[in-house]
Amino acid sequence: MNEAALTLDGWYALHDFRTINWTQWKKADDEERAHALEELHALWSNWTQTENDKKGSTAVYSIVGQKADFVIFHLRETLEELNELENELNKTSFAQYTTPTYSYVSIVELSNYLAKPGSTEDPMDNPEVIARLKPILPKSKHICFYPMNKKRDLADNWYMLSMEDRRAMMRSHGMIGRSYAGKVKQIISGSIGLDDWEWGVTLFSDDALQFKKLIYEMRFDEVSARFGEFGSFYVGNLLTPDKLNEMMK
């Protein structure tokens, strides 16, 4: 049996994608709309306070295209908290005008592929590692999310490769990501046993074109070209409470 990669695990993650029933929203009177938005803003205020207390983080984005109208991306310490956030939103008047279209449950992780061999340092004592495992989500202009797997097909079976081969390929793969430092912020969350895919990748950038450049360049790396399988891509623009109000007019 090949050596499994070890992971450091941080906050649990929920991507909650929803569409808006614009027909029902337009039928609602001004008082009903105002009440629905007031309830949503009250929740949003709670999310902001949790982030200020460094007990989690939340980002909200509108989605471009027909897969969804918006996504709420939560990071929290426990699965129970994520469940509570879902239920709180579902109980609001605003939720009556939305339909869930997709969700993704995972946990922020770092693997030992890029760890220094022979290091005896406890990574959990490193503030930089903790910041990556329990990040405050960037409020960049744009978001890109997609799920992915590593192949298990005959000769192209990632899980049958030796640790040495996997580590070498992941180092090469990681170098491409590092070349986009300052342009793209990346959060990898593991979902084996938690959702249908093995990982979720969430990218943030002030320039959406960087998503295309980064992902295209990575396609030529062996990790992606030979072993990568990808789900649907969701791309969107940052929503603030004020921008949401404008969107719902």
Side-chain angles (χ1 to χ4, degrees), residues 182-196:
K183 299 177 183 178
V184 179
K185 171 71 174 180
Q186 175 178 269
I187 294 177
I188 304 295
S189 49
S191 44
I192 297 176
L194 300 177
D195 218 305
D196 296 337

Side-chain angles (χ1 to χ4, degrees), residues 11 28 41 46 160 173-174 181 236 241:
W11 278 338
H41 287 310
N46 292 338
M160 293 302 292
H173 193 69

Side-chain angles (χ1 to χ4, degrees), residues 18-66:
R18 302 193 178 216
T19 58
I20 297 169
N21 187 328
W22 292 108
T23 300
Q24 292 300 317
W25 182 255
K26 289 179 179 179
K27 287 181 179 178
D29 60 36
D30 291 344
E31 183 177 351
E32 289 171 328
R33 292 189 196 182
H35 177 64
L37 287 173
E38 182 180 343
E39 285 191 323
L40 179 60
H41 287 310
L43 283 185
W44 205 323
S45 179
N46 292 338
W47 303 338
T48 301
Q49 186 58 54
T50 298
E51 187 167 288
N52 291 339
D53 293 339
K54 295 182 172 21
K55 294 182 179 180
S57 188
T58 298
V60 186
Y61 283 79
S62 62
I63 297 299
V64 180
Q66 301 303 308

Side-chain angles (χ1 to χ4, degrees), residues 73-85:
F73 180 16
H74 291 300
L75 297 178
R76 291 296 187 272
E77 294 178 340
T78 67
L79 273 178
E80 288 86 352
E81 289 175 89
L82 291 183
N83 207 180
E84 289 173 8
L85 291 171

Side-chain angles (χ1 to χ4, degrees), residues 67 102 145-149 197 219 229-234:
K67 295 170 186 169
Y102 186 59
F145 170 78
Y146 60 93
M148 64 166 293
N149 288 338
W197 294 78
R219 285 289 193 269
E229 296 179 322
F230 302 90
S232 296
F233 283 69
Y234 295 80

Side-chain angles (χ1 to χ4, degrees), residues 129-144:
V129 171
I130 299 300
R132 293 178 65 187
L133 292 174
K134 301 180 178 182
I136 297 302
L137 294 173
K139 304 307 185 285
S140 304
K141 290 182 180 179
H142 309 289
I143 192 173
C144 175

Side-chain angles (χ1 to χ4, degrees), residues 110-127:
L110 297 173
S111 75
N112 67 338
Y113 284 132
L114 303 182
K116 296 179 182 179
S119 175
T120 58
E121 177 187 356
D122 185 349
M124 299 306 288
D125 291 334
N126 187 332

